[in-house]
Amino acid sequence: MPSRRTVLAATAGLTASLAVGAGTAHAGAGRAPDDRRLRRLVSRMTLEEKVGQVFVSRVYGHSATDPDQADVDANLAELGVRTAAELLERYRLGGIIYFAWAHNTHEPHQIAALSDGLQRASLDLPRGLPVLISTDQEHGIVCRIGAPATLFPGAMAIGAGGSRTDARTLGRISGAELRAMGVRQDYSPVADVNVNPANPVIGVRSFGSDPDAVAALVAAEVQGYRSAGVAATAKHFPGHGDTAVDSHYGFPVITHSREVWEELDAVPFRAAIAAGIDSIMTAHILVPALDDSGDPATLSRPIVTGLLRERLGYDGVVVTDALDMAGVRTKYGDDRVPVLALKAGVDQLLNPPKLDVAWNAVLRAVREGELTEERLEQSVLRILRLKAKLGLLDDPYAGQAGVDRTVGTPAHLAAADRIAGRTTTLLVNEGGLLPLAPDTRRRLLVVGADPASPSGTTGPPTGVLAAALTGLGFTATALSTGTAPSAATIARAVAAAGEADAVVVATYNVTATSPQKTLVEQLLATGRPVVAVAVRNPYDVAQLPGVAAYLATYSWTDVELRAAARVIAGRTAPRGKLPVPVQRADDPARVLFPIGHGLPY
């Protein structure tokens, strides 16, 4: 691995005495980058290299130079290259994003080796610059790097715990582990205020529906990431919390007035900026009150430059949400989207569906004068400032020693369990059914929904719950019934309930017509005590008024399910409080359980 001096020389094309800003071990703890030196870097770059700096792309494979053949084939089909190293050489990319489905994140040592391979490939190029490696490690239901890395409860669970200290701890530990694997930009936290129970894309990824509470937790998590030397990313500006459309598949319209936006959506982003947020991600949504042009926020100069930069005073890196999403592709072609995003004020163009089309479109726009080179250089300079601040221009390599020292340590795993234990919310407990005791109700049947487990967790949820309960002294049997159980599956569950002392049922986004509702109702009819656990949205409880005991975990990751098991067994007292209101199923205008509801033992 190159020495520090070699890295500096390769990075800057200068002597070590001109090295940039001496990147620090902890972002936010060192001095600000020296713009004069960064501008010298920019002045030595070709136009093609400047264009490359603003792109962040996916790439397939576990290795930068020797991916599996299937990943070579995928790279050739989608990107026109065989390997990540070839991709960096062709496009001089400023960033790479990791995905589990792209086979980037098998295990921590491999991830660190991939990161170092990317850095080496980029720095070996003429005037080579280090790569800013990013991923979506929100925790909860969205994680790209799984166990043995530490996995924390998701945002709404943290919202239920209500602890700024826990949010800060999450950021600090998650950031330290990401940095040890070479990832220095995390697309988290979600700063959206989720005020729409039907929101299909944000939901439990949000801290809650109270803007001030969300703002406090966003700021705390940002502080945690900054202390670890990782760039946090507040998303999705100007606010994606009140939509019934998923911008991955459609074009959401937010009908908030300008006044509502100021009082609701803007609050967490203001807090993130005040906390020193390093990057902010745009949303592919239409907000007519903020821009009546019909353009998505990602492509809106009134929103990105007018609101975010000028009104909120933010001058850090702005990154688009993924450019392969439908929400940004409904009005313009893939050759226009990246150009319009840069004209709007964006800096990083994330994951375009066709990198060659997007890269050449930006290059052409500059050459033809639609986009000035000065405007492009503004974004390149912001990106270089962030790289310098994160220490990438000093020493971009992760190495292997930090993985064993940092990733998934017993102390980190214990912290995640402690935090999860403060988030489980007891919504209903009629007749004091909970906690259950092994000496009176030893035989438990665990049934219900088994959605695909979030990345890197054990799963399925019924199995994790049953194993955790067995470890607490019960004899628990798992029977997966799925999110849409058939009549035959329901009949098997009902028959099995007859052999149990109590039934634990996991529910997942129950609706009025959901077969899950039929399952629970028929289990109740057996006369056996039924404990329900909402493993995603807490709104399930409104659809099942006959259940005597109902818990909300806000996700079905192992750490949250183990915490729920401890609450069921009385080993942990329920401490979580609803961070969103739950409306009545028969009259959504009325609140069944308000924000702050949560029963004790």
Side-chain angles (χ1 to χ4, degrees):
M1 187 172 294
S3 68
R4 177 180 181 274
R5 182 174 294 275
T6 303
V7 170
L8 287 168
T11 298
L14 304 170
T15 65
S17 65
L18 290 176
V20 175
T24 61
H26 299 287
R31 61 183 181 274
D34 186 336
D35 265 13
R36 292 173 299 174
R37 292 167 178 170
L38 295 178
R39 291 180 192 279
R40 290 191 65 178
L41 284 181
V42 176
S43 72
R44 296 181 179 211
M45 296 168 67
T46 66
L47 176 58
E48 290 80 2
E49 290 164 3
K50 294 171 189 174
V51 170
Q53 277 299 299
V54 302
F55 280 96
V56 181
S57 178
R58 70 197 178 281
V59 66
Y60 291 86
H62 72 285
S63 164
T65 56
D66 189 26
D68 295 337
Q69 187 60 48
D71 293 320
V72 171
D73 295 342
N75 284 328
L76 286 169
E78 294 186 21
L79 299 164
V81 297
R82 295 172 53 84
T83 68
E86 291 179 12
L87 186 71
L88 292 169
E89 182 178 13
R90 177 172 297 186
Y91 294 106
R92 303 303 295 262
L93 296 176
I96 293 288
I97 179 173
Y98 284 169
F99 291 106
W101 52 259
H103 308 142
N104 305 139
T105 57
H106 293 311
E107 57 86 20
H109 285 285
Q110 168 268 319
I111 297 168
L114 172 60
S115 298
D116 286 351
L118 292 172
Q119 301 296 1
R120 194 173 299 110
S122 186
L123 288 166
D124 282 346
L125 297 170
R127 297 170 305 280
L129 289 167
V131 180
L132 182 53
I133 298 169
S134 59
T135 198
D136 292 282
Q137 195 79 348
E138 295 177 13
H139 295 277
I141 70 172
V142 176
C143 270
R144 309 304 185 199
I145 299 172
T150 304
L151 298 175
F152 285 89
M156 193 170 285
I158 298 297
S163 168
R164 299 183 193 185
T165 299
D166 286 348
R168 192 176 299 110
T169 298
L170 184 158
R172 176 178 56 79
I173 291 177
S174 177
E177 296 197 3
L178 289 173
R179 188 177 173 102
M181 294 180 279
V183 179
R184 301 207 195 181
Q185 184 178 25
D186 188 14
Y187 298 134
S188 185
V190 172
D192 303 314
V193 183
N194 198 79
V195 294
N196 188 340
N199 194 325
V201 63
I202 304 301
V204 295
R205 296 166 62 196
S206 163
F207 288 108
S209 62
D210 178 86
D212 292 327
V214 172
L217 295 172
V218 164
E221 189 170 312
V222 168
Q223 291 162 356
Y225 277 107
R226 280 173 54 82
S227 72
V230 168
T233 307
K235 60 186 186 184
H236 308 78
F237 190 84
H240 208 321
D242 189 8
T243 175
V245 175
D246 185 340
S247 54
H248 289 84
Y249 310 109
F251 189 20
V253 179
I254 307 291
T255 58
H256 291 180
S257 68
R258 177 65 176 262
E259 292 72 25
V260 168
W261 178 80
E262 291 276 7
E263 296 173 2
L264 185 76
D265 305 285
V267 176
F269 291 100
R270 289 184 187 277
I273 293 168
I277 190 74
D278 287 309
S279 54
I280 291 178
M281 179 180 286
T282 63
H284 304 327
I285 57 175
L286 178 64
V287 191
L290 304 182
D291 180 359
D292 61 4
S293 68
D295 288 346
T298 295
L299 310 183
S300 168
R301 185 168 179 82
I303 290 175
V304 177
T305 296
L307 285 183
L308 181 54
R309 294 215 185 276
E310 295 175 356
R311 181 169 181 80
L312 300 189
Y314 177 68
D315 192 38
V317 169
V318 176
V319 56
T320 70
D321 206 343
L323 295 182
D324 60 350
M325 294 166 59
V328 79
R329 302 174 73 193
T330 57
K331 186 176 178 181
Y332 301 101
D334 292 335
D335 60 333
R336 295 299 299 152
V337 166
V339 175
L340 294 173
L342 288 169
K343 291 175 74 172
V346 162
D347 302 306
Q348 288 185 307
L349 303 168
L350 177 62
N351 204 30
K354 297 177 181 177
L355 179 58
D356 60 335
V357 171
W359 190 91
N360 281 294
V362 173
L363 182 65
R364 185 169 56 252
V366 177
R367 284 178 172 167
E368 295 178 356
E370 180 185 4
L371 188 69
T372 67
E373 192 163 356
E374 180 184 12
R375 167 65 195 91
L376 180 64
E377 289 177 352
Q378 289 173 355
S379 287
V380 174
L381 184 59
R382 288 193 188 99
I383 292 165
L384 291 181
R385 283 177 186 145
L386 181 54
K387 290 182 178 183
K389 182 179 180 182
L390 297 174
L392 283 168
L393 300 186
D394 180 17
D395 183 1
Y397 294 102
Q400 292 291 324
V403 173
D404 291 329
R405 187 170 59 246
T406 308
V407 180
T409 64
H412 288 179
L413 297 173
D417 274 327
R418 285 195 301 273
I419 289 172
R422 295 189 277 269
T423 67
T424 309
T425 308
L426 181 59
L427 302 174
V428 179
N429 194 23
E430 294 179 1
L433 174 59
L434 291 179
L436 302 181
D439 57 348
T440 57
R441 294 193 172 97
R442 177 173 295 276
R443 296 172 302 169
L444 301 182
L445 174 67
V446 182
V447 302
D450 270 333
S453 289
S455 298
T457 59
T458 305
T462 53
V464 174
L465 268 173
L469 289 165
T470 297
L472 294 169
F474 298 93
T475 302
T477 303
L479 174 60
S480 175
T481 51
T483 55
S486 65
T489 299
I490 292 173
R492 284 198 299 274
V494 169
E499 303 299 318
D501 298 317
V503 178
V504 178
V505 56
T507 67
Y508 181 94
N509 295 2
V510 178
T511 65
T513 59
S514 171
Q516 293 180 66
K517 187 172 182 179
T518 304
L519 167 69
V520 175
E521 289 171 344
Q522 292 196 22
L523 289 171
L524 290 170
T526 67
R528 292 293 190 270
V530 173
V531 177
V533 182
V535 297
R536 185 166 180 167
N537 290 332
Y539 314 113
D540 290 1
V541 65
Q543 298 289 345
L544 295 164
V547 175
Y550 222 126
L551 294 168
T553 64
Y554 311 98
S555 183
W556 59 104
T557 52
D558 297 356
V559 69
E560 287 157 301
L561 295 173
R562 291 196 303 266
R566 295 195 299 273
V567 170
I568 290 170
R571 300 294 183 88
T572 301
R575 294 176 56 182
K577 306 293 182 183
L578 275 176
V580 293
V582 174
Q583 283 83 15
R584 292 175 58 108
D586 58 352
D587 185 2
R590 297 174 60 192
V591 172
L592 177 64
F593 297 122
I595 292 176
H597 173 78
L599 302 176
Y601 279 160

